[in-house]
Amino acid sequence: MARYVMGLKYPKDITDICCQTPYCIYLYQNVDLGDTERANVILVGFFSETVGKSVIRFFDVTQCTAESVQTAFDCFVETLKKFDIPIHNLAAFYSEGGASADDDNFLSRLKEISPNVVNMGSLCHMVDCASKSGVAAMSTLVDELVLDIRNHFLSSSKTNQKLKELFVNVEPFDSARPASAQCLVLSEIIKKMLAAWPDLIKYFQSRTLKGDKIRVICERLESHKVRVTFLFLKHALEPLCAFSLKLQNQESLLPLLLKDLSGTLRAYAGRLLLPEATVKLLKSQDLKLLGKAENVLPHSELCVGPEAEKYLTEHEDDLGAADKAVFFKDAALFYSAVIMQMLQRLPLNDSSLRNISTLLNPACKLKITGKMVVDLASQLGVCSNSEETSQLNDEFLEYQLSESDTGASLSCLSMQQYWSNVLKSSFSGSGGQLSVFQRLMLTLLCLPHPALKAEIAFSKAVENGDASLIDDSLSRSEWEDTTDLDLTNGTEDSFQSAEEPSSPPRPKQNAETSSTDTENVIIQSNQKTAKSSSDVGDESFWDNSFKEEKKSKTAICSSTPRKAAKKSFPYTDGKGFRVGELVWGKVKGFSWWPGLVAGWPHKQAPASMRRVEWFGDGMYSEIYTEMLLPFAAFSECFSNTSYADLPAYKDAIFQSLKIAGERSGKTFPPCKKDEQQKLMVEWAFKGFQPGGAEGLKPPEITEPAVVIKEDPMEIPIQDYQPPVKKIKYYSKNKGAAEQDYTREQMVQEVLQKGKKLEDFCLSCGTVRIEIFHPLFEGSLCLKCKDNFCETLYRYDEDGYQSYCTVCCAGQEVILCGNSSCCRCYCIDCLEFLVGPGTFEKVKEVEPWHCYLCLPSKRYGLLKQRPNWSVKVQEFFVNTSAMEFEPHRVYPSIPADQRRPIKVLSLFDGIATGYLVLKDLGFKVDRYIASEICEDSIAVGLIKHEGKIEHVDDVRSITKKHIAEWGPFDLLIGGSPCNDLSIVNPARKGLFEGTGRLFFEYYRLLNILKPKEGDSRPFFWLFENVVAMGVRDKQDICRFLECNPVLIDAVKVSPAHRARNFWGNIPGMNRPLAISLNDKVELQACLEHGRIAKFKKVRTITTRPNSIKQGKQEMLPVVMNGKEDNLWCTELERIFGFPKHYTDVYNMGRGARQKVLGRSWSVPVIRHLFAPLKDYFACE
């Protein structure tokens, strides 16, 4: 039997494996073997590529000794040596201890001989230690009060039996430890005490004559400060309890646990610290940040929980100023102590935890960058030199851009089976050794469950005694649990679906279990969307190149198909939002979405959560009440952008307003759906009159009396988001509370009370500002900032902005009459910011020039920034909300040492890059261009006399090609924008369709970058549209590790053409200057005898309609007294190309406009390339 348990080839097989692959040591001390015998049991764990799962094997058994830590550690090391187990392959260590000083000393000695070993056992007791530290830091004696009351009921026979059961039947309660060191127990006791608080006071008041101890208990229970502290603790312990329950689940997958661990830490950091301090703490783990008052949120914004806030408000007069100050100080001390304990016990830093969870998730392989993988490998000791770092970069990029793992294959494989296939199929090192990427993944896959109980570990070891008996133990549902992982790198960026859904992604509803663990479902999209007629460029040739790919796309989102619930239960937690109520719900990354509160499918509804059915698709979500708003907040939540772009959102608005109308008794005249919907929206914006918010309430129904037990410990842990300013408790003696404002109230505050306009969001009036408004004096909140980024450069077919220049919203707008201006202003902005009646007045002015065209002065509250053109660029540089290390700086090359430049141009178009390099006088040694449009290739070949080497599809360029063609000095390119531009409502985003071609640029950029120690200058430039989704832009920034520079060609040419440029060319952010040869007005581009009607024209695209200008869609040229279109030669001059540049192969006007519409502006590229003259040889 022993032979079977240890394995048929023991110990040679274990020794051989540990010599070749990373492994984990499990140490269970003082294990009861029966017959009063005890021993220390050592196991070894590793990931087996052969069988596709993690394996645990018995390793050795040693005697228990009462000797010193050093002796125990020496015995452990001798055991490894006895079996020739190499210490350098020890990746992780697990011990059920971790809570004592001896355990810490043992680990510190282990770190001395293996510095990069990951200690997962420290998480076993993290929750209880954090709870104990947090409670101990507070002035209120919580432990003492709980223990005194419990002891009283246990020792007294004549007690209230109902109250006695609150404390006696709490399991498992260890009387040898304080309640605060038992987080789940403490949380349950606190909830029970709060529910019975009046009864407890009444009981102990009746017994005050029984002794001093009773009197002390009674005084504490009567104290408002003590009670509000217990209310705070009920709220403050919830994330710890939620993580503890998941930790105790032995079937939980490691990626989910690591994500939840990071989420718990972020939740506490966000409750205590300012957003900037939170980011610094998570990055640096510097505990000193917790002790600095300037990093902590003010008392008014400290998160103490809704029940505590309500109690403070209701008992404001009873609580003295001193008690209130102590309470808020205690709350801050609790959070600080909890965060400190968690940071000290983290096995790795926060970003590494999240990156591990993302890297292990195959569905998220495009969500993590090579730099993050290298940083993770360095922390784990996998990369020890620059050669290994470079090798890992190459191997990870090969895996990241491989196409082998289709959605179909992922759906039927467990996570471990998937990685077994990946690691077996490729990435083998030389000489039979592991490659760097293999070693990294095997290290991660051998990490142990953070709370693996001894009996379960022994059971697995027995099963694995003979490796031939091993079978797969992971179910399909466990695999799907890993697909909800997201990625942030010290910022708040969570995983978005590959194909942007038409409605928010939502947590899965599990109708069969009370677990709140989210489980992702792969939704097969069978809907076909027609290609948008909006201006995104003619990219049909790229679409055709994808025909060989699967037509059905998969979107990973936390949603589940609608199911008919057999039974549902009402909510009795007093948080509002009852069954049947119309609400707005907020899911991260999406606009506020209308929904209907549904009954909870189980009896145990988590506190502060609601089940919401979303209009538009009929799916459900479980969502916090804090992320819900009443439907009456229509004007605040309604999104013009989503309403214009997303058909599902428009349907959702119609459905919700239809129900609202039925409840309010509002009738609308019979007409077409669009007209009726317009009437509905107008009615909603006017406040749902005459019934108002009351008229929206659901009809009263008789609900069954169901007792619902609150279980806040089942609340899923949320990712950290910077806390917004909320209206919390304020003392009446301290003046008015900080509150939110409408724009009408904002105007009154500025004009009548002298407040600064910069302290308000110019678009909505809130004081929760995020950044300056780039065009006018004032600021923008986070929501309006994101909206502004996406819509400022969005234009309708008439050439004017789609939305108001001030607020990037607005139902009714007036257009600027300046022929060269394309801006518009909504009625609300004019009425509120300029003055009542302004809209009607300017309608009578013809032509009316807008507030950016008029002389710079104040019009009411509206005043343009004197440097607004510079501020716009600064604004867009900051919109990714990320900070990056500066690019490597290359010193200028002496003139006599400069050599000709070698260029690789991806998505080359009509060779704008080559044309500019030759215009600037560069000696071009080699210019290799990847392009698949035949017309564009023809232009480059003919106009540059065959000096450009054209290659095929960018996806066919390999590392071998680069080695043959290179080394290159400059990489340029701009991937197709049709699946990125928000103008296209059917866009698929960065990770699908043509958007995915960005990763081909990223792949080749990583191949081309010089290795460490190579001083050869290397430059790169990537371009794409400004009007893309904020999340897509952030992802591009994250991969390219820099923020873009926004450049609009209108400053150096007659046409608008705003584009984002990422790169490392020196001076990219310097001001755009006009050169002597630049034609900046349309007249300068026209042929003889033709007259320009405008100085500047709108952005010229591939669509013929883009030539038309202004409200009346006039053609921009007059010839012989008649309007005329722009000629092809004139279009070429507008873009900066020589005359007849595109006149090849008898190409027609439409084809010539298409190749020009996809090209770059020559003066802009000349501006960007000019600094390269300090590095490369010129004529």
Side-chain angles (χ1 to χ4, degrees):
M1 182 62 184
R3 185 67 172 167
Y4 165 77
V5 170
M6 302 303 286
L8 301 179
K9 298 180 181 180
Y10 173 84
K12 185 178 183 302
D13 56 345
I14 294 180
T15 301
D16 290 344
I17 290 172
C18 293
C19 288
Q20 297 172 7
T21 189
Y23 64 91
C24 170
I25 289 293
Y26 299 79
L27 176 60
Y28 293 93
Q29 303 181 63
N30 204 25
V31 177
D32 186 1
L33 302 180
D35 297 330
T36 69
E37 290 189 43
R38 291 186 173 274
N40 297 330
V41 180
I42 304 175
L43 301 95
V44 63
F46 53 88
F47 181 77
S48 171
E49 297 177 49
T50 305
V51 296
K53 67 174 292 181
S54 296
V55 176
I56 297 178
R57 297 282 302 277
F58 279 113
F59 183 47
D60 200 11
V61 179
T62 62
Q63 290 184 345
C64 293
T65 63
E67 299 179 16
S68 65
V69 174
Q70 184 62 49
T71 304
F73 178 73
D74 291 341
C75 179
F76 169 75
V77 174
E78 285 300 319
T79 302
L80 296 182
K81 290 181 179 179
K82 180 174 68 174
F83 292 97
D84 295 325
I85 304 297
I87 195 69
H88 69 268
N89 271 348
L90 177 60
F93 177 77
Y94 179 84
S95 173
E96 274 193 317
S100 67
D102 286 346
D103 294 317
D104 292 340
N105 290 336
F106 187 98
L107 182 64
S108 64
R109 284 170 170 76
L110 182 60
K111 287 276 189 180
E112 291 175 3
I113 61 173
S114 182
N116 299 304
V117 67
V118 179
N119 175 33
M120 300 297 287
S122 62
L123 298 182
C124 287
H125 306 281
M126 184 199 73
V127 170
D128 288 343
C129 290
S131 171
K132 181 182 177 181
S133 296
V135 173
M138 305 175 75
S139 61
T140 302
L141 303 176
V142 175
D143 270 330
E144 186 177 328
L145 178 58
V146 170
L147 188 60
D148 286 346
I149 296 177
R150 186 173 189 274
N151 288 340
H152 169 78
F153 284 117
L154 289 177
S155 61
S156 176
S157 58
K158 298 179 180 180
T159 61
N160 184 317
Q161 291 300 315
K162 182 180 178 182
L163 294 176
K164 182 176 181 178
E165 290 177 0
L166 298 180
F167 298 90
V168 176
N169 297 326
V170 177
E171 296 292 343
F173 186 90
D174 184 356
S175 57
R177 294 193 297 153
S180 61
Q182 305 169 70
C183 184
L184 291 175
V185 170
L186 176 63
S187 178
E188 185 178 353
I189 289 176
I190 285 176
K191 285 186 288 182
K192 288 182 175 181
M193 285 182 63
L194 287 170
W197 200 277
D199 295 333
L200 286 170
I201 293 177
K202 185 176 180 181
Y203 170 80
F204 283 104
Q205 282 177 342
S206 67
R207 304 179 69 85
T208 51
L209 299 178
K210 297 294 183 178
D212 293 339
K213 179 68 73 174
I214 300 294
R215 195 176 299 110
V216 171
I217 293 174
C218 188
E219 290 175 356
R220 289 177 177 171
L221 289 173
E222 292 172 344
S223 168
H224 291 288
K225 176 178 172 293
V226 172
R227 188 167 181 179
V228 77
T229 299
F230 272 64
L231 288 169
F232 162 73
L233 286 175
K234 177 185 175 182
H235 171 74
L237 291 172
E238 285 178 358
L240 281 177
C241 291
F243 180 69
S244 180
L245 288 176
K246 293 185 178 183
L247 197 62
Q248 291 178 12
N249 179 7
Q250 299 293 306
E251 300 301 320
S252 296
L253 291 177
L254 181 65
L256 285 176
L257 287 175
L258 295 181
K259 175 196 170 188
D260 289 339
L261 173 59
S262 171
T264 305
L265 175 61
R266 288 166 177 242
Y268 281 115
R271 290 181 178 188
L272 174 69
L273 301 175
L274 292 166
E276 298 83 1
T278 299
V279 173
K280 288 180 182 178
L281 179 71
L282 294 173
K283 283 185 176 180
S284 67
Q285 296 193 205
D286 183 4
L287 298 180
K288 294 179 181 178
L289 293 171
L290 295 171
K292 296 180 179 179
E294 62 268 22
N295 293 329
V296 178
L297 290 167
H299 289 173
S300 61
E301 297 177 29
L302 202 64
C303 184
V304 297
E307 292 183 61
E309 290 177 12
K310 182 180 179 182
Y311 191 87
L312 287 168
T313 304
E314 293 175 348
H315 296 82
E316 180 180 358
D317 296 330
D318 300 323
L319 279 157
D323 281 346
K324 282 180 263 183
V326 171
F327 165 74
F328 281 114
K329 181 180 178 181
D330 281 352
L333 289 173
F334 174 90
Y335 285 138
S336 180
V338 168
I339 294 169
M340 192 174 299
Q341 275 292 326
M342 292 186 68
L343 287 174
Q344 291 172 346
R345 292 181 175 274
L346 283 184
L348 295 164
N349 63 40
D350 175 76
S351 61
S352 294
L353 295 177
R354 302 183 73 80
N355 289 341
I356 288 174
S357 67
T358 307
L359 180 57
L360 286 175
N361 177 16
C364 295
K365 71 178 188 178
L366 289 178
K367 298 291 181 178
I368 187 168
T369 67
K371 182 178 184 300
M372 296 174 189
V373 173
V374 168
D375 290 344
L376 177 60
S378 299
Q379 188 174 4
L380 294 173
V382 175
C383 286
S384 57
N385 54 56
S386 59
E387 184 179 347
E388 289 181 340
T389 298
S390 175
Q391 182 182 344
L392 176 60
N393 251 323
D394 295 342
E395 292 168 352
F396 172 69
L397 197 61
E398 181 183 345
Y399 156 71
Q400 191 175 38
L401 298 178
S402 64
E403 299 287 347
S404 58
D405 50 328
T406 63
S409 64
L410 291 180
S411 63
C412 59
L413 290 177
S414 71
M415 180 186 73
Q416 295 185 338
Q417 287 172 332
Y418 168 86
W419 280 110
S420 175
N421 292 344
V422 170
L423 297 176
K424 282 190 296 187
S425 61
S426 57
F427 308 112
S428 296
S430 58
Q433 299 294 317
L434 295 174
S435 70
V436 183
F437 184 66
Q438 275 182 312
R439 177 171 293 278
L440 172 62
M441 297 315 303
L442 290 173
T443 298
L444 300 182
L445 290 165
C446 82
L447 294 179
H449 188 285
L452 189 62
K453 295 180 180 178
E455 56 269 24
I456 296 178
F458 297 162
S459 175
K460 290 185 177 181
V462 170
E463 293 174 5
N464 297 335
D466 189 339
S468 65
L469 302 178
I470 298 173
D471 59 4
D472 181 46
S473 62
L474 290 181
S475 66
R476 164 76 181 274
S477 64
E478 290 174 317
W479 154 247
E480 290 175 340
D481 276 343
T482 67
T483 61
D484 191 36
L485 301 177
D486 68 333
L487 173 68
T488 59
N489 188 27
T491 64
E492 271 326 300
D493 201 64
S494 64
F495 167 58
Q496 195 69 349
S497 66
E499 181 176 359
E500 185 174 337
S502 59
S503 57
R506 293 172 280 277
K508 178 184 186 290
Q509 305 299 315
N510 192 340
E512 300 167 0
T513 173
S514 62
S515 171
T516 59
D517 287 347
T518 56
E519 178 180 341
N520 283 346
V521 180
I522 297 182
I523 309 289
Q524 295 292 337
S525 175
N526 295 319
Q527 297 179 347
K528 295 183 179 179
T529 54
K531 182 173 177 65
S532 170
S533 60
S534 303
D535 172 30
V536 294
D538 182 2
E539 306 292 352
S540 58
F541 50 88
W542 275 116
D543 294 335
N544 293 334
S545 71
F546 279 89
K547 282 183 179 178
E548 298 303 318
E549 297 185 1
K550 286 196 162 195
K551 297 297 181 183
S552 62
K553 304 294 182 185
T554 58
I556 306 218
C557 59
S558 306
S559 58
T560 183
R562 180 177 177 180
K563 296 180 180 179
K566 295 180 180 179
K567 190 174 184 179
S568 63
F569 299 85
Y571 304 96
T572 58
D573 57 4
K575 304 291 184 183
F577 302 110
R578 62 190 179 92
V579 175
E581 189 168 337
L582 290 167
V583 295
W584 291 93
K586 186 71 175 73
V587 178
K588 188 176 179 181
F590 292 84
S591 307
W592 287 88
W593 204 278
L596 189 75
V597 178
W600 197 258
H602 324 294
K603 290 186 178 181
Q604 293 185 346
S608 304
M609 291 196 74
R610 296 293 181 268
R611 188 168 184 251
V612 177
E613 180 181 10
W614 302 105
F615 289 104
D617 62 5
M619 294 184 180
Y620 289 91
S621 285
E622 295 168 6
I623 189 168
Y624 282 109
T625 54
E626 295 174 355
M627 305 303 291
L628 295 176
L629 286 176
F631 194 67
F634 191 92
S635 59
E636 180 181 346
C637 299
F638 181 80
S639 171
N640 284 290
T641 305
S642 299
Y643 191 76
D645 292 347
L646 301 178
Y649 182 84
K650 194 170 185 177
D651 289 342
I653 295 297
F654 178 77
Q655 294 169 12
S656 58
L657 289 178
K658 189 174 181 180
I659 293 180
E662 291 172 356
R663 291 182 178 179
S664 302
K666 176 69 174 178
T667 58
F668 299 94
C671 53
K672 293 181 180 179
K673 181 179 177 180
D674 287 346
E675 295 176 0
Q676 189 178 63
Q677 193 159 354
K678 183 178 180 182
L679 295 174
M680 287 179 169
V681 171
E682 291 175 354
W683 172 64
F685 269 99
K686 293 177 181 178
F688 302 99
Q689 297 303 321
E694 290 295 319
L696 302 176
K697 290 185 177 180
E700 295 293 336
I701 58 174
T702 304
E703 297 177 334
V706 179
V707 178
I708 300 179
K709 179 182 177 183
E710 294 184 8
D711 193 359
M713 292 174 286
E714 290 190 355
I715 296 176
I717 296 169
Q718 298 295 308
D719 287 339
Y720 162 73
Q721 293 178 338
V724 297
K725 298 178 181 178
K726 297 189 291 186
I727 302 175
K728 296 186 179 292
Y729 170 78
Y730 294 85
S731 170
K732 292 179 181 178
N733 299 326
K734 291 186 178 181
E738 182 182 47
Q739 61 177 351
D740 235 346
Y741 297 90
T742 64
R743 286 217 285 182
E744 188 174 12
Q745 293 170 329
M746 172 191 74
V747 172
Q748 294 175 356
E749 293 290 316
V750 174
L751 294 180
Q752 298 176 13
K753 299 184 179 180
K755 292 190 176 181
K756 295 180 180 179
L757 190 60
E758 297 288 353
D759 294 335
F760 296 88
C761 174
L762 202 59
S763 294
C764 68
T766 182
V767 294
R768 303 168 186 169
I769 58 175
E770 174 76 10
I771 197 172
F772 59 86
H773 194 294
L775 303 177
F776 299 96
E777 291 183 357
S779 300
L780 291 171
C781 65
L782 182 61
K783 178 182 176 182
C784 293
K785 166 197 167 187
D786 289 346
N787 189 42
F788 202 90
C789 292
E790 293 187 1
T791 58
L792 180 63
Y793 286 98
R794 177 172 178 175
Y795 300 97
D796 290 331
E797 292 188 0
D798 61 4
Y800 282 87
Q801 284 182 306
S802 300
Y803 300 103
C804 172
T805 297
V806 180
C807 65
C808 279
Q811 293 286 306
E812 185 178 356
V813 296
I814 188 167
L815 309 179
C816 178
N818 186 341
S819 59
S820 298
C821 182
C822 54
R823 305 194 183 276
C824 60
Y825 297 77
C826 71
I827 183 172
D828 286 345
C829 287
L830 295 180
E831 295 295 303
F832 287 131
L833 300 178
V834 182
T838 302
F839 192 76
E840 292 299 326
K841 292 177 183 178
V842 299
K843 283 168 64 176
E844 303 299 324
V845 179
E846 186 62 39
W848 173 72
H849 288 191
C850 77
Y851 301 106
L852 290 177
C853 296
L854 291 170
S856 178
K857 67 176 185 177
R858 189 173 299 281
Y859 301 89
L861 291 183
L862 201 63
K863 185 179 188 301
Q864 66 169 259
R865 293 189 184 277
N867 57 342
W868 64 266
S869 59
V870 176
K871 281 293 184 179
V872 167
Q873 295 188 42
E874 184 181 339
F875 175 84
F876 277 93
V877 165
N878 290 311
T879 54
S880 74
M882 289 184 280
E883 295 180 1
F884 301 95
E885 295 180 1
H887 290 297
R888 178 180 177 181
V889 177
Y890 296 103
S892 298
I893 305 298
D896 58 342
Q897 298 178 21
R898 297 172 189 165
R899 51 183 175 74
I901 190 171
K902 276 189 177 182
V903 183
L904 177 60
S905 175
L906 310 179
F907 320 102
D908 184 61
I910 54 177
T912 311
Y914 185 86
L915 175 72
V916 170
L917 289 171
K918 297 304 291 182
D919 284 351
L920 288 171
F922 283 93
K923 292 181 180 179
V924 180
D925 181 18
R926 198 171 190 183
Y927 189 98
I928 295 181
S930 172
E931 179 56 58
I932 64 173
C933 173
E934 295 297 334
D935 288 341
S936 297
I937 292 173
V939 172
L941 281 175
I942 294 174
K943 291 302 175 179
H944 299 293
E945 301 174 347
K947 295 177 182 177
I948 296 176
E949 302 175 51
H950 279 96
V951 296
D952 201 2
D953 193 330
V954 64
R955 290 168 290 182
S956 65
I957 300 176
T958 65
K959 192 173 183 179
K960 183 179 179 181
H961 290 133
I962 298 300
E964 292 175 356
W965 301 336
F968 289 99
D969 305 303
L970 176 64
L971 173 68
I972 58 176
S975 59
C977 65
N978 55 328
D979 277 323
L980 296 176
S981 174
I982 64 169
V983 176
N984 178 12
R987 63 189 180 276
K988 297 174 181 177
L990 188 66
F991 300 99
E992 288 293 334
T994 59
R996 188 183 172 97
L997 290 170
F998 159 76
F999 291 99
E1000 297 300 327
Y1001 181 94
Y1002 171 71
R1003 172 178 68 90
L1004 295 173
L1005 174 62
N1006 277 274
I1007 294 174
L1008 290 173
K1009 281 183 177 178
K1011 308 304 179 186
E1012 189 174 339
D1014 187 350
S1015 60
R1016 174 177 60 88
F1018 172 76
F1019 301 99
W1020 58 273
L1021 181 73
F1022 179 78
E1023 172 270 345
N1024 219 295
V1025 293
V1026 173
M1028 69 170 65
V1030 172
R1031 193 168 295 278
D1032 285 334
K1033 180 182 175 183
Q1034 289 176 345
D1035 284 334
I1036 292 175
C1037 292
R1038 184 160 48 82
F1039 279 95
L1040 297 182
E1041 299 176 32
C1042 67
N1043 286 307
V1045 173
L1046 184 147
I1047 301 179
D1048 192 343
V1050 73
K1051 297 180 181 180
V1052 288
S1053 77
H1056 290 270
R1057 198 170 189 82
R1059 292 293 184 267
N1060 276 328
F1061 292 90
W1062 290 261
N1064 71 336
I1065 299 176
M1068 287 181 61
N1069 59 348
R1070 72 190 191 279
L1072 190 61
I1074 302 172
S1075 69
L1076 294 176
N1077 296 325
D1078 289 337
K1079 296 176 173 58
V1080 295
E1081 293 188 0
L1082 180 60
Q1083 185 62 53
C1085 299
L1086 301 184
E1087 299 290 349
H1088 179 70
R1090 292 163 59 80
I1091 301 172
K1093 296 178 67 176
F1094 309 93
K1095 290 183 177 180
K1096 303 282 186 179
V1097 294
R1098 57 182 288 196
T1099 302
I1100 297 174
T1101 69
T1102 59
R1103 291 188 304 107
N1105 252 6
S1106 63
I1107 302 293
K1108 296 179 180 179
Q1109 308 293 316
K1111 306 176 188 178
Q1112 311 301 324
E1113 295 192 351
M1114 296 180 292
L1115 293 174
V1117 179
V1118 173
M1119 182 177 179
N1120 298 328
K1122 296 182 180 180
E1123 285 187 0
D1124 195 11
N1125 212 340
L1126 287 169
W1127 292 353
C1128 291
T1129 53
E1130 295 166 344
L1131 286 174
E1132 290 165 344
R1133 290 195 190 103
I1134 290 172
F1135 279 87
F1137 291 103
K1139 186 176 180 180
H1140 298 299
Y1141 184 76
T1142 58
D1143 187 8
V1144 298
Y1145 287 168
N1146 294 319
M1147 202 184 301
R1149 176 195 164 76
R1152 291 174 70 176
Q1153 183 176 340
K1154 283 183 178 179
V1155 296
L1156 286 167
R1158 289 193 294 264
S1159 69
W1160 289 341
S1161 173
V1162 171
V1164 170
I1165 303 304
R1166 186 187 299 117
H1167 163 81
L1168 292 171
F1169 282 4
L1172 298 178
K1173 293 175 76 71
D1174 287 338
Y1175 298 90
F1176 303 103
C1178 295
E1179 302 289 353

